[in-house]
Amino acid sequence: MFNILDAQFIAPGIKRFILEAPRIARKQKPGQFVILRIHEQGERIPVTIENSDPGRGTISLVVQSAGKTTQLLNSLIAGDHILDVVGPLGKPTEIEKFGTVVVIGGGVGTAMAYPSAAAFKRAGNRVISIVGARNRELVILERELRSVSDALMITTDDGSYCDKGFVTDKLRQLIDNGARIDLVLAIGPIVMMRAVAELTRKEHIRTVVSLNPIMIDGTGMCGGCRVLIDGKSEFACVDGPEFDAHKVNFEVLVQRNGMYRDAEQRSLADYQRQTAKRTAVHKDEEQCAVAQRSER
Amino acid sequence: MSLAAKKSINPLSAKERIKVPRQLMPEQPAGERNHNFEEVNLGYSPELARQEALRCLECAKPTCTANCPVGVKVKEFVELIVAGDFLRAAAKIREDNVLPAVTGRVCPQEDHCEGKCLLSKKVKPLGIGYLERFVADYEQRMGNHAVPTVAPTGKKVAVVGSGPSGLTVAGDLIQKGHKVRVFEALHELGGVLVYGIPEFRLPKQIIREQLDYMREMGVEFETDVVIGRTLTIDELIQEEGYDAVYIGTGAGLPQFMGIPGEHLNGVYSANEFLTRINLMKAYKFPNYDEPMVDLHGKDVAVIGGGNTALDAIRSALRLGARKAYVIYRRGDAEMPARAEEVHHARQEGIDFQMLTAPVEFISDGKGWLKAARCVRMELGEPDASGRRRPVPVEGSEFDLPLSVAIMAIGTTANPIVQSTTPGLGTDRRGYIQANSETQRTTRQGVFAGGDIVTGAATVILAMGAGRRAAASIHDYLQTGQW
């Protein structure tokens, strides 16, 4: 049983949880994740660890509502608890002094990119961060990222905040301006990571992406999270989640992540019907949080 | 026939004993059970058990015990059944085996105790597994097992993994007075007994009862801890103060064949397929959240011929598969699965495609499996395993329409503990090096056993390793000598 000490929406549909998990807090490194199960009938899902506070024995998770489980998770509040949380899982981001590192966060992937950016900075790298989001409201961790980056660029799909466009536009600009880039770390939607990989492949820039396949145990037992790397099966939970972007078969990842789409939609529809009333309340809460945020 | 010198309470002569037929195990009818997850074997009644027990020849040098990886005193517990003292029979087994209700169900007795039974030279061997299961279940029904009390030694042992090997170590060491804590990576205890072996062969309730008994004895359990990630072996010793650690983390990463199309949707590893069903209850979707492919009316095949393969395909049949195939590249004689499981699977209507192997999985054009391209095999010269090597028959290719294929062709070593424990020796294949007598690793105070040392094997072999390790750990804790 893991207690939720704090839970706040940081953007519409994106919630940050502060969770009591002293053992995980002590070990967590950038790039790692947890697997959680909310209740006895729940599924096991991997969730991004944003940060940890070993002193307080807490970890912070950032969750975007998508399917039933993440919607249910985001309905939890301080004082609630999560039945199972296991981690930190996966290999940490390889942190070294590379020179100039471009850290790209797309949507909620920014939450996982942020601790790596901070670690790259601490290791003496010049860190350029690029954040992409659908719109202004979905830009998260701007202040935090700015504090650990030598430069921060933001794009929104609809142009409602900063520059209209995609993260690859900014990366292209950097390259065209002759910036020397030693490493790119890209974490976000598969389409974004694939686009980054295609761009840097041509430029011969070493690029790492963090993959998010369907997972069950997360300890190398079930093989559900297998990804095709350079034509060979690897397991995201023990061999990853970070891989050389130029070796990843993104097409297979997209295909395998769609394996349960029908079931997921059915699950979500059932859940939303059952909780139509409660969902309305949470919408209010979210809007409230967003309103407060824009006041700041 | 060498009867023991001691006067036997068995009223039958050796000749009469041989004439008593092996008592059949009552079973759920094949046509019913292939639609449900209830147990296949229903268990002996006290009458059947006593009748079967009468068959024991009470050898002076029992080969059954000598061939049992944990050394169960078969002759003695069987004699207690003849005497009608079922509870003492159970206690007698417990002296050597902490999980009798489990091994009575899943142990390949033909390879161990029953395989060497003297009776089998003339007739069928004594039903040792059935008898073991009977007394274990009887004890459970009576709710009457004694919890031994022992003086605490003040020593602490950490057990990594709550599968059969780890539970054996925990059960043995708690009875020596050591404090034992078991760490489990998953949210449920039991390891492969829970995520791997299906309900119809080993009901989860049986495991829960065995775990309750261990808790009563004082064993502590902690779930959701991945040793190597959440805590390291070194932290267990240096920071949490454990005097010894046993690593029983079990089978590792599932293997794939490396043939085209293995990444198609609908191609599972057996571990994933069974985990979704057994651990996550995906077949109860949407009441449980974890989904799986709906198998109703679908054609399903498992690739492989071991117990895991049969567990997977028999589960698929129970979940509504229209056709359920076993595709195995060798012949009947080479199949590693337990004889009783093969027999049950045939009864249930599983279609065995022997001497056959897939060479490619074919897509429906939308990312889903449509068929397996297979080739027939013939057996050539023996290979490294001593079994005859399968060789493809030229021009024998054919396509088998399939919606789901389950790969059950073995596992490779899980690297998490090894890669986070400096100085822990591994073999060429990445398994942990441990002495085959003492189960000691290359690190002082650290022991290992089961699949993480040997590669995928059986529940009873893992328990045997656990037994040796427990004795060796006890020895180390007493003497402090490495």
Side-chain angles (χ1 to χ4, degrees):
Chain A
M1 216 80 106
F2 293 78
N3 295 324
I4 299 172
L5 301 182
D6 188 41
Q8 303 287 336
F9 279 104
I10 57 171
I14 302 177
K15 203 165 189 176
R16 174 191 280 138
F17 294 90
I18 307 295
L19 216 62
E20 207 176 352
R23 283 190 161 152
I24 303 174
R26 229 165 57 116
K27 293 306 277 289
Q28 180 264 340
K29 292 200 175 80
Q32 291 185 301
F33 60 94
V34 291
I35 284 189
L36 59 80
R37 190 177 72 131
I38 303 174
H39 57 79
E40 276 300 334
Q41 285 78 39
E43 62 180 338
R44 291 171 66 99
I45 59 159
V47 173
T48 296
I49 310 176
E50 178 207 21
N51 233 328
S52 57
D53 183 339
R56 279 179 72 203
T58 59
I59 56 172
S60 73
L61 306 179
V62 174
V63 180
Q64 180 164 40
S65 299
K68 173 186 172 178
T69 299
T70 46
Q71 290 214 357
L72 178 62
L73 192 55
N74 281 356
S75 74
L76 301 183
I77 55 173
D80 288 344
H81 55 255
I82 298 172
L83 187 55
D84 296 287
V85 181
V86 62
L89 299 172
K91 288 183 183 166
T93 307
E94 207 184 313
I95 304 290
E96 272 176 45
K97 188 170 177 185
F98 292 101
T100 298
V101 179
V102 175
V103 176
I104 303 176
V108 75
T110 309
M112 200 162 190
Y114 157 62
S116 298
F120 280 127
K121 184 69 196 164
R122 280 196 301 274
N125 292 285
R126 178 163 169 259
V127 175
I128 301 171
S129 297
I130 307 175
V131 168
R134 280 209 309 278
N135 57 48
R136 179 192 183 105
E137 290 185 327
L138 292 171
V139 175
I140 57 170
L141 300 174
E142 180 182 345
R143 189 167 45 85
E144 289 88 339
L145 259 176
R146 196 178 297 283
S147 71
V148 299
S149 308
D150 294 275
L152 172 68
M153 297 172 219
I154 297 172
T155 63
T156 47
D157 297 3
D158 65 355
S160 56
Y161 188 52
C162 297
D163 291 347
K164 181 177 161 72
F166 300 108
V167 292
T168 38
D169 299 334
K170 288 290 169 195
L171 183 60
R172 177 86 262 164
Q173 247 175 46
L174 279 174
I175 294 166
D176 290 348
N177 291 344
R180 185 195 146 82
I181 301 171
D182 298 289
L183 178 73
V184 172
L185 171 68
I187 306 178
I190 299 173
V191 279
M192 180 206 92
M193 294 191 289
R194 179 162 49 187
V196 169
E198 289 318 314
L199 174 56
T200 58
R201 187 196 311 274
K202 284 183 222 127
E203 305 293 336
H204 306 287
I205 300 169
R206 189 178 158 196
T207 303
V208 172
V209 287
S210 180
L211 304 185
N212 57 339
I214 294 171
M215 231 175 240
I216 307 179
D217 68 300
T219 66
M221 182 273 286
C222 84
C225 68
R226 66 187 192 275
V227 287
L228 206 52
I229 306 295
D230 212 9
K232 288 199 194 77
S233 271
E234 297 211 26
F235 301 99
C237 68
V238 292
D239 302 318
E242 294 181 2
F243 293 96
D244 179 341
H246 301 149
K247 294 182 175 166
V248 173
N249 185 324
F250 288 102
E251 209 175 307
V252 161
L253 181 62
V254 169
Q255 168 221 306
R256 286 184 57 81
N257 274 3
M259 190 154 164
Y260 299 107
R261 191 158 294 132
D262 292 349
E264 285 160 3
Q265 278 167 0
R266 181 176 163 197
S267 229
L268 181 59
D270 287 356
Y271 173 74
Q272 284 174 335
R273 250 197 317 279
Q274 286 158 13
T275 58
K277 215 170 156 187
R278 243 194 303 155
T279 311
V281 175
H282 282 112
K283 275 266 152 38
D284 288 348
E285 195 195 321
E286 274 175 47
Q287 268 152 15
C288 209
V290 171
Q292 281 171 2
R293 188 169 154 271
S294 38
E295 277 165 27
R296 280 203 299 270
Chain B
M1 265 359 102
S2 56
L3 288 186
K6 187 177 86 133
K7 178 99 176 78
S8 170
I9 61 156
N10 191 328
L12 304 183
S13 70
K15 268 190 183 154
E16 288 169 330
R17 294 181 199 186
I18 292 171
K19 285 198 184 122
V20 178
R22 178 169 159 127
Q23 302 300 299
L24 291 178
M25 170 58 79
E27 287 174 2
Q28 206 196 142
E32 279 174 30
R33 70 179 190 242
N34 60 13
H35 299 298
N36 68 49
F37 273 84
E38 304 294 313
E39 220 181 340
V40 173
N41 287 345
L42 302 174
Y44 276 165
S45 62
E47 295 71 33
L48 282 174
R50 206 165 163 266
Q51 190 69 7
E52 180 64 24
L54 285 171
R55 299 177 66 227
C56 179
L57 295 174
E58 300 175 273
C59 307
K61 285 184 184 156
T63 47
C64 44
T65 300
N67 281 288
C68 173
V70 297
V72 168
K73 300 178 203 79
V74 175
K75 186 170 81 171
E76 294 173 39
F77 97 74
V78 171
E79 191 179 10
L80 286 162
I81 296 176
V82 174
D85 196 344
F86 305 141
L87 287 176
R88 276 183 60 211
K92 183 55 72 183
I93 300 176
R94 282 195 182 280
E95 289 176 10
D96 305 289
N97 176 355
V98 296
L99 301 170
V102 172
T103 49
R105 288 173 165 80
V106 305
C107 195
Q109 286 90 7
E110 67 267 26
D111 296 335
H112 302 291
C113 55
E114 294 182 22
K116 293 287 159 63
C117 176
L118 200 54
L119 278 173
S120 63
K121 294 201 170 157
K122 296 206 165 161
V123 288
K124 287 190 173 157
L126 183 65
I128 299 170
Y130 294 165
L131 291 173
E132 179 178 52
R133 173 194 160 145
F134 166 75
V135 291
D137 288 358
Y138 181 87
E139 179 191 50
Q140 196 57 53
R141 272 205 309 281
M142 295 294 140
N144 195 10
H145 41 230
V147 176
T149 50
V150 276
T153 61
K155 301 284 185 188
K156 265 171 73 174
V157 181
V159 172
V160 184
S162 66
S165 181
L167 291 182
T168 299
V169 171
D172 279 4
L173 289 178
I174 202 82
Q175 297 185 56
K176 301 275 191 211
H178 307 300
K179 201 165 146 55
V180 182
R181 191 174 183 85
V182 180
F183 295 93
E184 168 57 47
L186 292 172
H187 58 258
E188 219 174 300
L189 297 167
V192 71
L193 306 176
V194 165
Y195 72 72
I197 303 177
E199 192 75 14
F200 58 83
R201 208 150 73 80
L202 181 62
K204 304 291 164 287
Q205 185 56 27
I206 301 282
I207 323 281
R208 282 194 283 270
E209 285 160 0
Q210 305 277 324
L211 289 165
D212 285 345
Y213 179 58
M214 300 189 86
R215 280 195 196 91
E216 279 175 52
M217 292 198 293
V219 177
E220 294 170 4
F221 292 98
E222 187 172 345
T223 53
D224 295 330
V225 178
V226 181
I227 298 299
R229 295 265 192 253
T230 318
L231 276 173
T232 63
I233 300 285
D234 285 300
E235 285 165 345
L236 286 173
I237 296 168
Q238 284 153 23
E239 292 172 26
E240 309 240 338
Y242 286 96
D243 299 292
V245 178
Y246 178 75
I247 305 169
T249 47
L253 311 161
Q255 277 187 312
F256 290 89
M257 296 177 72
I259 60 176
E262 248 174 345
H263 283 76
L264 289 171
N265 294 352
V267 181
Y268 283 102
S269 78
N271 278 6
E272 180 186 357
F273 185 78
L274 288 167
T275 299
R276 282 185 185 273
I277 295 170
N278 298 329
L279 181 72
M280 304 309 297
K281 309 273 180 280
Y283 63 98
K284 293 183 180 169
F285 181 88
N287 293 327
Y288 280 70
D289 291 336
E290 196 81 55
M292 66 182 293
V293 172
D294 183 358
L295 300 177
H296 287 95
K298 305 268 178 69
D299 296 345
V300 182
V302 71
I303 321 301
N307 287 318
T308 307
L310 292 190
D311 285 346
I313 199 64
R314 292 170 72 198
S315 297
L317 190 68
R318 283 159 170 78
L319 293 175
R322 185 178 63 174
K323 285 194 172 148
Y325 304 96
V326 169
I327 299 179
Y328 182 54
R329 64 196 182 124
R330 304 183 204 244
D332 283 357
E334 289 80 17
M335 259 185 98
R338 215 172 153 251
E340 188 179 35
E341 309 309 330
V342 179
H343 170 68
H344 282 159
R346 286 193 199 276
Q347 281 181 333
E348 288 166 12
I350 304 287
D351 183 340
F352 283 78
Q353 293 287 318
M354 306 307 274
L355 289 164
T356 304
V359 290
E360 183 184 352
F361 292 113
I362 299 164
S363 168
D364 69 348
K366 295 176 213 143
W368 284 84
L369 176 68
K370 186 178 82 176
R373 180 151 299 157
C374 297
V375 62
R376 300 288 185 193
M377 315 290 269
E378 57 192 7
L379 294 178
E381 294 300 306
D383 64 10
S385 73
R387 296 177 297 181
R388 294 175 65 195
R389 186 193 304 276
V391 185
V393 176
E394 218 173 302
S396 65
E397 284 189 7
F398 67 101
D399 288 354
L400 187 67
L402 290 177
S403 298
V404 170
I406 306 159
M407 309 304 289
I409 55 167
T411 53
T412 57
N414 185 316
I416 293 182
V417 170
Q418 297 88 310
S419 64
T420 53
T421 312
L424 187 68
T426 54
D427 69 13
R428 190 168 47 80
R429 299 172 305 160
Y431 292 105
I432 296 175
Q433 276 178 350
N435 181 292
S436 59
E437 293 294 320
T438 64
Q439 305 300 135
R440 289 180 179 196
T441 67
T442 53
R443 279 284 306 270
Q444 178 164 354
V446 181
F447 302 75
D451 285 4
I452 195 61
V453 170
T454 58
T458 60
V459 166
I460 191 67
L461 289 173
M463 290 175 63
R467 197 98 224 282
R468 290 191 298 277
S472 163
I473 291 169
H474 179 61
D475 190 47
Y476 169 68
L477 294 177
Q478 297 294 99
T479 63
Q481 309 243 309
W482 188 256

